[in-house]
């Protein structure tokens, strides 16, 4: 085996190990939070030893920060970027809400909300990382809401930034509460989002009357 192939194989193994540990840590953080996360259990659930975990991450804080980054990156690819590809601001927001609902059908859905609640009011690196991520999303959504109001697809209402904060909080909470209730989770999410944006609901056609 050449040196290049050996290095590539080693890098692939390291990436697989890192991915498995991040997914395991995300599940653990979703369930137990940061304070009660046990690194040995994270490693065991991922199928690795504690030594393998510490070979990649110096400790709990570094691991949690990596999870926040990993969740942000996967959410961007699966939810944010498809939403932003929509031509209309309202369509972007609805697509984001639907995409987030689909994303939250997996067992890592509570990570950001759990960490945000746990570190509320504290100056902690993990709390700051979560806050910065959510803050960027709220700013982006505020821009979409303002653009929708400008083109008439979203009616006037409370300040765009405040509406965006409510929108982000709503899609977080609703997706978690209705997780596992497909396909109704998508319908309920869209109803909730249309309500907070002040947009008329989509009326389903009535079934034909029996003669």
């Amino acid at each position: 085996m050449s040196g290049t192939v050996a290095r590539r194989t080693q890098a692939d193994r390291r990436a697989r190990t890192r991915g498995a540990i991040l997914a395991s840590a995300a599940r653990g953080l979703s369930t137990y939070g940061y304070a009660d996360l046990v690194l040995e259990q994270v490693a065991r659930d991922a199928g690795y030893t504690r030594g393998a975990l510490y070979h990649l991450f110096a400790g709990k804080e570094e691991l949690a920060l990596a999870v926040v980054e990993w969740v942000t990156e996967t959410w961007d690819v699966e939810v944010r970027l498809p939403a932003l590809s929509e031509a209309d601001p309202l369509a972007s927001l609805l697509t984001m809400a639907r995409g987030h609902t689909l994303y939250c059908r997996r067992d890592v859905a509570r990570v950001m909300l759990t960490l945000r609640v746990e570190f509320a009011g504290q100056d902690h690196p993990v709390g700051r990382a979560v806050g910065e991520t959510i803050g960027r999303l709220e700013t982006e959504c505020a821009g979409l809401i303002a653009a929708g109001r400008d083109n008439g697809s979203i009616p006037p209402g409370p300040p765009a930034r405040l509406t965006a904060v409510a929108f982000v909080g709503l899609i977080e909470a609703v997706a978690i509460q209705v997780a596992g209730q497909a396909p109704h989770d998508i319908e309920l999410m869209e109803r909730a989002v249309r309500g907070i944006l002040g947009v008329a609901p989509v009326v389903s056609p009535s079934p034909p009357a029996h003669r």
Side-chain angles (χ1 to χ4, degrees):
M1 183 183 293
S2 70
T4 301
V5 173
R7 284 193 296 274
R8 186 181 301 121
T9 301
Q10 184 178 11
D12 289 343
R13 283 199 302 269
R14 180 184 176 90
R16 284 195 299 271
T17 302
R18 188 175 191 275
I21 289 173
L22 286 173
S24 177
R27 290 191 296 270
L29 288 167
S30 292
T31 304
Y32 306 112
Y34 181 83
D36 293 327
L37 187 71
V38 178
L39 297 189
E40 186 172 1
Q41 186 65 46
V42 169
R44 186 183 304 119
D45 290 346
Y48 294 94
T49 64
R50 184 173 59 178
L53 186 152
Y54 278 108
H55 183 68
L56 293 169
F57 304 100
K60 186 188 293 190
E61 182 179 303
E62 184 175 311
L63 176 60
L65 288 170
V67 168
V68 171
E69 182 179 3
W70 176 71
V71 169
T72 301
E73 289 174 353
T74 57
W75 194 88
D76 277 358
V77 170
E78 297 179 33
V79 181
R80 176 176 168 273
L81 295 179
L84 294 181
S85 69
E86 299 282 357
D88 179 72
L90 175 59
S92 289
L93 291 165
L94 291 172
T95 298
M96 185 181 296
R98 286 191 292 268
H100 183 65
T101 306
L102 293 173
Y103 186 87
C104 287
R105 287 178 179 175
R106 68 192 71 180
D107 53 6
V108 300
R110 294 176 180 267
V111 171
M112 301 299 266
L113 182 58
T114 298
L115 292 175
R116 182 151 58 132
V117 170
E118 184 170 0
F119 289 108
Q122 301 180 47
D123 185 19
H124 188 281
V126 176
R128 287 199 300 272
V130 173
E132 289 166 4
T133 298
I134 299 298
R136 287 193 298 269
L137 178 61
E138 290 170 347
T139 299
E140 199 160 53
C141 289
L144 290 171
I145 290 166
R149 288 174 176 172
D150 287 343
N151 74 9
S153 61
I154 299 175
R161 176 73 191 196
L162 181 60
T163 304
V165 170
F167 170 84
V168 172
L170 179 137
I171 65 171
E172 270 191 315
V174 171
I176 288 171
Q177 291 300 318
V178 300
Q181 300 300 317
H184 306 298
D185 51 355
I186 297 288
E187 180 183 354
L188 289 168
M189 175 63 82
E190 181 158 344
R191 287 186 182 192
V193 166
R194 284 179 174 273
I196 209 164
L197 295 176
V199 176
V202 175
V203 179
S204 302
S206 301
H210 293 292
R211 292 175 181 263

